[in-house]
Amino acid sequence: MTSAAFSRPGAVDLSSLSQPAPASGGYVMDVAEADFQAVAAKSSQYPVILEFHSPRDPNGRVVSDTLAELVNAAGGKFLLGRVDVDAEPRVAQALGVQAVPTVVAVVGGQLAPLFQGTKSREEISAILDQIAQLAIANGMTGRAQPVATAGSPDVAEAPAGNPRFAKADAALEAGDFEAAVAEFDALLKETPGDAEALAGRAQAALLVRSAGFDPATIVARADAGPTDVAAQLDAADLEIIQGRSEEAFDRLLSLAGQLPSDERDPIRVRLLELFEVVGRAEPVVLKARRRLASVLF
């Protein structure tokens, strides 16, 4: 595997700076920090593939070209967001990206690491096929529409899913996550217990909470305060965003076991919400739910 750490500019061949980067367009767009939350929110309708790259890394160009070609050929099954780590270091740091190229998927708000370094066309195609199958298994029926102009963050999508969720989906699409929470709350007043609305609200609420996250500060606070409920809740949210759901659940369940029974409710509420984010039928959720019951009772 070949990769180049983006924090070490002297370690890569700078001759690639004179070469044009693969163009945006089709189902490929450049993603800046200001766009990131709105782009990630699109994963509630279809998978978003995020490619972290650097124009200083000549080895990553083949990966970029291959990803763009395969995603465009899929005709809307995916949206490919390209993050230049030199121009947008905070996005890369927030997701713990250490080297380029790094490729991850966001499916239903869940981060799934795909690969780091170079891969063959056949390997990348197989990975994308797996993501497409995961989306189908999760009932995701949305399809991206082509990016209108190169670099534009305004990617339209075809109508998908239950029209009852149109307002909530529009708020997610616009990056107005607080409005999305309010829309899901309104739906839950009409149909309490609606599984799809509960999952949507949980995902939107997580996006609201994480909007101002500084991962380094969150980790430091959690390490310094092992029984600080607020710090541990934030740390668990961060782990969910990073795709480390088992660690997030273990963190909160272990904390609940250390606290008096009358102080556990905030943890119980957050766990139930995060179970919806991850998916109530997921094995890791079923396991954590059983453990929660034993902690509470």
Side-chain angles (χ1 to χ4, degrees), residues 120-137:
S120 69
R121 178 187 177 86
E122 291 73 21
E123 290 173 313
I124 295 174
S125 179
I127 290 169
L128 292 179
D129 285 344
Q130 291 174 355
I131 295 301
Q133 292 168 12
L134 176 62
I136 293 171

Side-chain angles (χ1 to χ4, degrees), residues 57-77:
D57 174 27
N59 297 312
R61 190 165 304 282
V62 173
V63 171
S64 293
D65 290 340
T66 301
L67 275 170
E69 182 180 346
L70 292 173
V71 166
N72 283 332
K77 287 183 180 179

Side-chain angles (χ1 to χ4, degrees), residues 47-60:
V48 174
I49 309 299
L50 294 175
E51 176 203 357
F52 294 86
H53 70 100
S54 168
R56 298 179 287 106
D57 174 27
N59 297 312

Side-chain angles (χ1 to χ4, degrees), residues 229-242:
V229 173
Q232 298 304 320
L233 291 174
D234 282 349
D237 279 349
L238 179 62
E239 286 166 339
I240 290 291
I241 292 169
Q242 294 175 335

